[in-house]
Amino acid sequence: MFHLLTAFARRLLRSIAFVILLTLINSLILPAATWAASSGLGVNNGHLSSCPASDNCVVSQNGDSKHAINPIAYHIDRNAARKTLLKALTVVPRTEIIEQTDNYIHALSKSRIFKFIDDVEFYFPPNESVIHVRSAARVGESDLGVNRRRLEQIRLALRDLNI
């Protein structure tokens, strides 16, 4: 009887471990493809999404004092500013542009060690010479200021390129 219970317990533990493994794979790998569609990213009624309450996001539109960042001003043609931004993004480490339209750019930036993903968005409103920005970590409570620093570095790069 004892051997039968031991065999059953081992089989049950293997099944539980398998279910946990499948759950981890599902939550860590598969959401990358569906994240943007379900996360409220993009431009809605002329605005980027607001930030969640966590400290891992900055936004230039309707941000509270904790999440606010200035938009990036430009003084050249809008298309030229957009092309310059796209070029600048190609040299931002571990950053990949995944969506672009005439007035919107969505990029993903991964952290070096743990490969955490941040969504970085840029919006070119039609009648303003600014690029509204939003950068947010997908997980966690704090990003230790990484999203703000990334956008400020992009701002400085664009300033050096005279946009």
Side-chain angles (χ1 to χ4, degrees):
M1 182 70 168
F2 178 74
H3 294 294
L4 187 60
L5 287 174
T6 304
F8 177 74
R10 284 185 186 153
R11 187 174 253 170
L12 181 63
L13 286 175
R14 284 185 193 142
S15 296
I16 291 171
F18 183 70
V19 168
I20 290 172
L21 179 65
L22 285 178
T23 302
L24 285 173
I25 289 171
N26 187 40
S27 66
L28 295 175
I29 295 173
L30 296 179
T34 60
W35 175 264
S38 65
S39 66
L41 296 176
V43 179
N44 188 8
N45 293 325
H47 289 85
L48 295 170
S49 297
S50 58
C51 286
S54 58
D55 292 335
N56 58 7
C57 176
V58 293
V59 65
S60 65
Q61 290 179 305
N62 302 325
D64 59 22
S65 61
K66 180 169 72 170
H67 299 104
I69 190 170
N70 290 328
I72 300 171
Y74 60 89
H75 62 274
I76 61 175
D77 175 69
R78 183 175 134 167
N79 283 337
R82 185 178 165 282
K83 287 178 184 177
T84 304
L85 173 59
L86 287 168
K87 284 182 185 178
L89 289 174
T90 64
V91 297
V92 177
R94 298 170 307 283
T95 298
E96 174 188 4
I97 298 165
I98 61 166
E99 180 185 353
Q100 57 178 304
T101 65
D102 288 343
N103 67 349
Y104 176 76
I105 298 169
H106 177 203
L108 298 180
S109 287
K110 290 184 182 179
S111 65
R112 184 179 334 189
I113 297 171
F114 294 110
K115 305 298 183 206
F116 294 128
I117 297 173
D118 296 339
D119 290 287
V120 187
E121 298 177 279
F122 303 90
Y123 169 53
F124 295 78
N127 296 316
E128 296 179 64
S129 294
V130 298
I131 306 167
H132 283 292
V133 295
R134 182 180 187 274
S135 188
R138 289 188 177 181
V139 297
E141 286 296 315
S142 175
D143 64 354
L144 302 174
V146 168
N147 284 295
R148 184 176 298 279
R149 282 193 304 275
R150 178 188 303 113
L151 290 177
E152 292 300 344
Q153 288 172 343
I154 291 169
R155 179 193 316 280
L156 289 174
L158 293 176
R159 186 177 299 155
D160 288 345
L161 294 170
N162 294 318
I163 74 152

